[in-house]
Each structure stands twice: as structure tokens, then as C-alpha cells.
Amino acid sequence: MRAYAELVRAPAALTVLGDTLVGAAAAGTALRGRRLLLPLSSVALYWSGMALNDWADRELDAVERPERPIPSGRISPRAALTTAVALSATGLGLAALAGGRDSLAVAAPLAVAVWSYDTVLKDTKAGPLAMAACRALDVLLGAGRSGAGTALPAAVVMAGHTLGVTALSRGEVHGTSATAVKAVLGGTAVTTLTTIARPVRTWRNRLGVLAGAAGYAATVGRAQLAAVRDPGAVAVRSATKAGIHGMVPLQSALVARSGSPAVAAGLALVLPLARALSRKVGPT
């Protein structure tokens, strides 16, 4: 079980639970009843992408990360691919059960984007953009096809952050340049300012936005600033990990902006849990 937890980076799925909450809040559609299955659909599709990533990278990992489940022999390539297929099917099934055709119309392109990234686009210049598209579609999953237009600005914010994290993650093994990290740090600043600048409903919503944005800037910006000073592999891995965890306070800020401050506060509590579990199973 530990090997499979490492294969799918199990604790990292906590950082996608808030995507559908962001989309639902932006579209003004509460997640209740069967729609509560949408976050689980996101998790299943995220895990499928992680398993597929390791299957696609099995030969490279044998050289750079021999401790990963496939090159270490703990999981066979066939089992990893089967896991990815099963989780994709589960994610699509949960989306259909939660919202019928309206949700499946978003979940299906999301699954296609995940498979396209891992098998074709990851090592190309379009890789970070493809991953950003996956995150945007995950947010829109919470809104459904009917609410996608209203939720699009929030989806773009999450996609922008994902673009920076993905670009930075390319230096996890060999490091990167200080210029590249500065560009990503600039993107983090823009994301923070964009989140704060948008109008809110009440002062409670404003407090929630400010708290989430401050947590996001502190979590992500500090690690990226350290990577600017030392853009080696260790610092870049730390910044990438912080970027993944930073999804949570950013989601919290976006939910507070257009939804319930109480839901946003509850979502923020996911971050310490994700950090604690990441000490057991790494998210990168």
C-alpha cells in the first residue's frame, strides 16, 4: 500500500479538493447532495495522472530517481498503467454520478488533458501550459458546463499558479537558473495581487480573501525567494513542494471571495494536514 501511495503521491491530492469548491463558489452553485462527489472525482483524476506520470517516466526515473515505485521493482509498469486507467474511469464515473452530462462535459476533457500531458506534452515547451489547463478544468468541474463562464476568472488564477509551479519543477533534479525562478516569483506576486484586487461581497469575505492570500504569499513566495538565492536542485524541490501546498491557501482565498468564509476557513485547515502527510509521502 505504501508503494501505491508513493505512486500516486497520495497526500498531494489534498491540494485538489479545493478546486471544485472554488469553481462551485464562483458559479454560485453549492456542493451538496450528489455534487459532493465532485471533489472525489478530482482526486481520482489527479491520482490517475500521478500513476501515469510514473509509468511514462519509468526509464528516466531508473536513472534519476531509482527509489520510485516502478524502477525499484515494488510496482510493475503494467500495474501502474492499470492503476492509472482504473482511476481515470473512477473519476469520470464519479463526475457523471455527481452532475450527469453537465459535469461529465468538463471531466472528460480534463481526463484527456491529463493523459495528453503525461504521455505527449510533458517534456515539450507546451508542458507547463498543459498542466495549467488541467488545473483550470478541475476548477471548472465544480462549476459544471453551465457555470463555466462565471467560474473562468477563478480557473485562470489557479491555472496561472500551476503554470509557475510546473515550470519550476523542471529543475527539481538538476536545478535551474535564478532568472527562471525570478519569473515564477513574479507570477506569484501577480497571482496574489489579482486575488486581492477582485471585488468581494462583505467585509467577512474580504478578511477571508486577505487571510488566504497572505498565507499563499508566505507559503509560496518565501520558498521561491530562497530558490532565487540558490537555484540548485534542493532549493527548487523545496519551492516546488511549497508551490503544491500553496494551492490550498489560494483556493481558500478564492472561495472566500465569492463563497462562504466559513467554507474557506475549513479549507485552509487542509494545509497543515497536507504538510504533515508530505513528510511520509513526498508530493513531488
Side-chain angles (χ1 to χ4, degrees), residues 80-159:
L81 183 58
T82 300
T83 299
V85 172
L87 286 169
S88 289
T90 299
L92 291 173
L94 288 172
L97 185 60
R101 293 181 179 178
D102 187 62
S103 295
L104 195 58
V106 182
L110 172 55
V112 170
V114 168
W115 279 74
S116 297
Y117 171 80
D118 281 326
T119 59
V120 178
L121 299 173
K122 179 170 52 183
D123 295 326
T124 71
K125 292 182 179 179
L129 289 172
M131 180 58 81
C134 291
R135 183 66 68 158
L137 287 167
D138 201 32
V139 172
L140 296 179
L141 179 61
R145 179 174 54 184
S146 57
T150 308
L152 186 58
V156 170
V157 170
M158 290 300 302

Side-chain angles (χ1 to χ4, degrees), residues 15-235:
T15 66
V16 303
L17 287 173
D19 284 346
T20 47
L21 292 175
V22 170
T29 306
L31 290 185
R32 57 170 62 100
R34 288 193 301 178
R35 284 179 57 80
L36 288 171
L37 294 174
L38 287 176
L40 298 182
S41 173
S42 290
V43 168
L45 292 172
Y46 182 87
W47 279 346
S48 75
M50 294 297 100
L52 186 62
N53 175 82
D54 272 25
W55 176 82
D57 283 356
R58 60 192 184 279
E59 294 180 1
L60 180 63
D61 284 345
V63 177
E64 295 184 345
R65 300 182 180 187
E67 74 281 0
R68 293 295 303 159
I70 295 177
S72 67
R74 290 176 291 155
I75 293 178
S76 69
R78 182 176 181 178
L81 183 58
T82 300
T83 299
V85 172
L87 286 169
S88 289
T90 299
L92 291 173
L94 288 172
L97 185 60
R101 293 181 179 178
D102 187 62
S103 295
L104 195 58
V106 182
L110 172 55
V112 170
V114 168
W115 279 74
S116 297
Y117 171 80
D118 281 326
T119 59
V120 178
L121 299 173
K122 179 170 52 183
D123 295 326
T124 71
K125 292 182 179 179
L129 289 172
M131 180 58 81
C134 291
R135 183 66 68 158
L137 287 167
D138 201 32
V139 172
L140 296 179
L141 179 61
R145 179 174 54 184
S146 57
T150 308
L152 186 58
V156 170
V157 170
M158 290 300 302
H161 172 66
T162 304
L163 178 66
V165 174
T166 307
L168 188 62
S169 70
R170 293 187 164 193
E172 283 188 287
V173 176
H174 303 294
T176 186
S177 68
T179 301
V181 183
K182 287 178 181 177
V184 174
L185 180 59
T188 297
V190 171
T191 298
T192 303
L193 294 174
T194 301
T195 303
I196 294 173
R198 296 273 296 178
V200 296
R201 297 174 181 175
T202 68
W203 66 268
R204 291 185 179 86
N205 294 86
R206 172 59 66 185
L207 284 178
V209 171
L210 292 175
Y216 166 72
T219 299
V220 180
R222 183 171 53 186
Q224 290 177 352
L225 187 59
V228 169
R229 300 191 185 103
D230 174 17
V234 174

